[in-house]
Amino acid sequence: MRGIKLQFSDKAPKLDLTTSVVDSDSTTQNVMVSLGTDKGSDRLFPARGTDLLKSFLQMGYVGDVEAQHIANFAALDSLFFYRSTNDDITLPPLQKIYLVVNPVTLNLIDVAATLIYGPILSTVTASL
Amino acid sequence: MATDFVNTYFPASVTSDQMSDTRTRLAVWVKDHYPDLDYRPGSVFGDLFLSPASELIAFLEAGADNLLSDLDLGNVANGIISNCDFITEFLKNFGVTQEYLDGRVSGMIRLIFDQDGAYELDRGLKFIINATDAFYPRLFNEGNLNILPVGQVATPQSNEYVLSQTSSTRYFVDVPVYGFASSDTLDGATFALNASIDSLVSATAIGDFSKTFSESTLPELAKKARNAMFSSSSTTRAGLASAIRQEFPDVTAVSVVTPGDFEMIRSYENGFGVSTPAVDVFVKTNLYGSRAKQVFKINYDPNSRKFWGKLPFAHTPLNVYNVQTTNTSVVGISNKLYTASPKAEFPKLTSAYSTNADYYIVFVMPKNVDGTDAVTISQNSDGTYFQYFEIEYYCDFGLSTISKYLSSSEFKPVGVSIQTRAYIPVMFDQYFVNYKRDKGVIFDTDNSREEIYEYMRTCAYPDIYSDGAVVDSVFYNGGKALQSISSLAFISPSPAQYLITSATVFSLFDIENGAQEIPKYAVSNSSQFIPSQRDDSTVNNQLYSIGVRNTGYIVESASITFKEVV
């Protein structure tokens, strides 16, 4: 599977038309997009998205334990959604997602995600 | 300009399920054509192209469904329409145009003359009403409209109509007409003519005229177009019924009886097992059960002191209601009606309730209470005696027109014996509705009576009688329950009481000698409203068959009585 790369390093994701992502990297990128998507905002996929941004940016920061709690739920939502929509059996199966969220400002959070595809480990950081 | 597909056919919205389903199908297509491309949710291609495209295509698919729905006249007939302009144009392919249908009207005009005789009327003769509305004779054969003197017989497959009498000095003929009208033409309306006709006294409408297509909405037009497309020919049972309904909008029921049906008795199988091709078409128009009055000149035999004679009915009789002198000095004259079928093609009672049967009446001289003759007789120039009598009878004014149409040279199927008949009527003297009612609840008997009357009037195969309609009427007008329907009624294979067995009829003796009594079957409750009677036995062999396909009902509104059961 091949897709266009998204740069998550800035305040908002940007298209990088010169670079492509393949296979598990492409999956990781898709998962990151789902993490940043508000739950219920996609009419075609009502189960898509998480409450991550809503929880942090609208409700405010509530402490490290609570932040990890929210991140864990977001990781689970994304994992389940991925499994329900992925139909490419040639790709290594996504088994787990670990998420660490660091609020930077009231409008920005940093997300460090680790995705485990069997022996493959994919790590990515993004500002959402 | 191209059709505005978006604003014409796109629905207001599509559901998430529809869009999701479309995306799934598109994804399969993408995967098939570009197996390396990541189209999953979250991918750039998936989110920025495939999902929006799925929504657009979901709308396109729904729009295409709407377009296809407009092409399906079944949907249009049910009022599901996306593009009225398109459908209006589309229906023109079937010869159905709104402008044409809006004004096309058919009906019957009674021409009254003050002289008996032969008249030839141009087929372009125009009957004018409301200054601008014009009607023309509805002739099914070539040539002009020929009116023959009283007592003559019209030639088959011709435009000949025979005069009848309304009094000793007035002669009438009922002529079917068609035309284009801007307003309703009601029973009794008077027409002017565009030509002068000798001895013509008046031209008036018989019954309300029917618009060929009474509704002009697109769904109604679509229904008519569907009927036309279904089949409009005399080659199949359904096609024949469809053709009649198209041509005669005032027809409320058509039943085509063919060999193999219980009701068909004219056909039989030959030695090779092949049925003779015969078709009986039972029709019922809006005017079924109407009463007609006609005056007949009837012979008097001084030896037997009996009046007797042939009755050339202007319309096929369904039942004789009353016989009286023209001055009403004697009414309700007790009589015997005889029938004969002069055509070998329609033997015995197979011609009953059609234009192919002949009728004769016999009754004894009515007496005053003091024993003197109640009727004064007149003498012909040849020394024989006669008197005029007025006979009122039930009929269907529309039957003769349809009969002429089906037997016309243009329509008549080749090699098939076709006959038009009225539905055999169950004649009701009384129709009892026995119902229950809760205390304090008002039961609207007037409304229920009208509903039941209308139901019985129009009820006929293929919409056969059901107690359900009466149950509904009773319930929705305040009754608690219908307990039963009973009746004083009968059905008979012929409106006559006797079948003449003589080969020819020239005298009273020919009528009475050997005549067979025709049975009357009592109908005493609703379980008998669909009778089943047949006689092709070797004993009487009167050749009749009454069944579900040819039974109709004649009940007067005033004869419907409600009886509350406690």
Side-chain angles (χ1 to χ4, degrees), chain A residues 1-6 15 23 26-27 29-30 33-34 37 42-46 48 81-82 85-88 91, chain B residues 14-17 19-20 23 27 31 35-45 47-48 50-52 54-55 59:
Chain A
M1 282 256 172
R2 182 182 298 276
I4 299 171
K5 185 173 175 58
L6 285 171
L15 285 173
D23 297 339
S26 186
T27 300
Q29 180 174 287
N30 294 350
V33 171
S34 288
T37 303
D42 188 336
R43 291 207 295 152
L44 276 71
F45 298 101
R48 182 182 174 188
F81 177 68
Y82 165 79
T85 55
N86 180 60
D87 59 352
D88 192 342
L91 292 175
Chain B
V14 292
T15 65
S16 295
D17 286 344
M19 287 189 285
S20 184
R23 194 188 189 284
K31 190 177 177 181
D36 201 28
L37 187 59
D38 190 352
Y39 54 82
R40 293 171 296 176
S43 66
V44 173
F45 176 77
D47 281 5
L48 296 187
L50 198 58
S51 290
S54 300
E55 185 169 352
F59 271 91

Side-chain angles (χ1 to χ4, degrees), chain B residues 296-312 359-366 375-380 382-389 391 505-509 511:
Chain B
F296 298 91
K297 184 180 179 182
I298 299 179
N299 307 314
Y300 179 68
D301 176 24
N303 296 323
S304 63
R305 304 185 62 78
K306 285 180 179 176
F307 287 95
W308 70 279
K310 187 177 181 181
L311 300 180
Y359 295 95
Y360 299 84
I361 195 167
V362 176
F363 55 90
V364 296
M365 167 66 83
V375 177
T376 310
I377 55 172
S378 303
Q379 195 167 21
N380 288 309
D382 62 359
T384 57
Y385 299 97
F386 74 95
Q387 187 48 275
Y388 288 102
F389 290 88
I391 297 181
V505 179
F506 296 110
S507 66
L508 177 60
F509 177 80
I511 296 172

Side-chain angles (χ1 to χ4, degrees), chain A:
Chain A
M1 282 256 172
R2 182 182 298 276
I4 299 171
K5 185 173 175 58
L6 285 171
Q7 294 289 357
F8 289 105
S9 55
D10 208 342
K11 288 183 179 178
K14 286 182 179 172
L15 285 173
D16 180 356
L17 297 174
T18 61
T19 314
S20 62
V21 285
V22 295
D23 297 339
S24 57
D25 286 344
S26 186
T27 300
T28 300
Q29 180 174 287
N30 294 350
V31 170
M32 293 304 292
V33 171
S34 288
L35 278 170
T37 303
D38 281 342
K39 185 174 266 184
S41 63
D42 188 336
R43 291 207 295 152
L44 276 71
F45 298 101
R48 182 182 174 188
T50 69
D51 289 330
L52 194 64
L53 290 175
K54 201 186 295 176
S55 300
F56 280 93
L57 303 180
Q58 292 180 4
M59 296 168 60
Y61 178 61
V62 290
D64 290 345
V65 175
E66 182 66 16
Q68 191 56 49
H69 191 63
I70 293 168
N72 289 344
F73 271 111
L76 268 180
D77 283 346
S78 296
L79 182 62
F80 290 152
F81 177 68
Y82 165 79
R83 286 177 178 169
S84 70
T85 55
N86 180 60
D87 59 352
D88 192 342
I89 58 170
T90 65
L91 292 175
L94 176 58
Q95 294 169 328
K96 288 181 181 174
I97 302 175
Y98 291 107
L99 217 55
V100 176
V101 181
N102 289 311
V104 178
T105 66
L106 285 176
N107 296 320
L108 192 67
I109 56 173
D110 279 347
V111 178
T114 303
L115 290 80
I116 299 173
Y117 303 89
I120 303 171
L121 216 64
S122 177
T123 305
V124 64
T125 58
S127 295
L128 300 174

Side-chain angles (χ1 to χ4, degrees), chain B residues 91-106:
Chain B
L91 289 175
K92 288 180 182 173
N93 291 307
F94 310 109
V96 180
T97 64
Q98 199 143 344
E99 298 80 8
Y100 178 67
L101 299 176
D102 275 349
R104 191 178 171 196
V105 172
S106 59

